[in-house]
Structure formats: C-alpha cells, structure tokens
Amino acid sequence: MLFLVRMDVKVPTHLSAAEFDAIKAREKTYAEQLQREGAWRHLWRVVGEYANYSVFDVPSNDELHRLLSGLPLFPFMTVHVTPLAKHPSAIQ
C-alpha cells in the first residue's frame, strides 16, 4: 500500500542544541535504513519549512504507524497521511 505522508517538525525549545542534534542524527540513520529496505520510497524537503513529503510502501496502516512512531523526531511532528491508489489514467 502506498501512502503520501507530510511531516512537519516543531523544534523543541526545551532541548539543548546538542540534544536536538543527537535526535536528528538518530532520525537520519533510521530514515536511511527504511529507504534501503524499500518502505520509505521517496523523501522530499518542503522548501522554506522544516517539513517533508514522503511516499511509503508498506503492507498496512498499522505498519505505517509503527514506522512513523519509531522516528526519533515523531514526538515533535505533526503528521498527515493520505492513502494512495493507482489512477486509471496513469501510464505507469
């Protein structure tokens, strides 16, 4: 199943810069792992915002929730999920 996910991060003011950098490093490692495994198919930055649009390919809603909630930045995110279906006019 394909899902379009928008993730907006609100930088926590209660963390030091070093603590936040450590969280971001863990986030990068986890995101790269999911991309290598094929679950996180596409990742695009939203220009001018601390946000991204991503496409996930996972077998279920529950699996997507498990992956998203495993993101180290998840506690600081607003997440919007849109399930995707093949369009009848798509040539691919």
Side-chain angles (χ1 to χ4, degrees), residues 9 17 22 25 33 48 62 72 88 92:
V9 178
Q33 172 192 340
D62 291 331
Q92 291 185 356

Side-chain angles (χ1 to χ4, degrees), residues 24-41 43 56 71-72:
K24 289 189 295 185
R26 291 196 319 272
E27 179 90 3
K28 180 179 173 77
T29 299
Y30 183 63
E32 289 174 351
Q33 172 192 340
L34 294 177
Q35 289 173 75
R36 281 191 290 279
E37 293 172 355
W40 198 328
R41 299 276 299 272
L43 173 59
F56 285 82
L71 290 164

Side-chain angles (χ1 to χ4, degrees), residues 7 28 41 45 67 83-84:
M7 295 176 248
K28 180 179 173 77
R41 299 276 299 272
R45 177 183 310 273
L67 296 179
L84 300 173

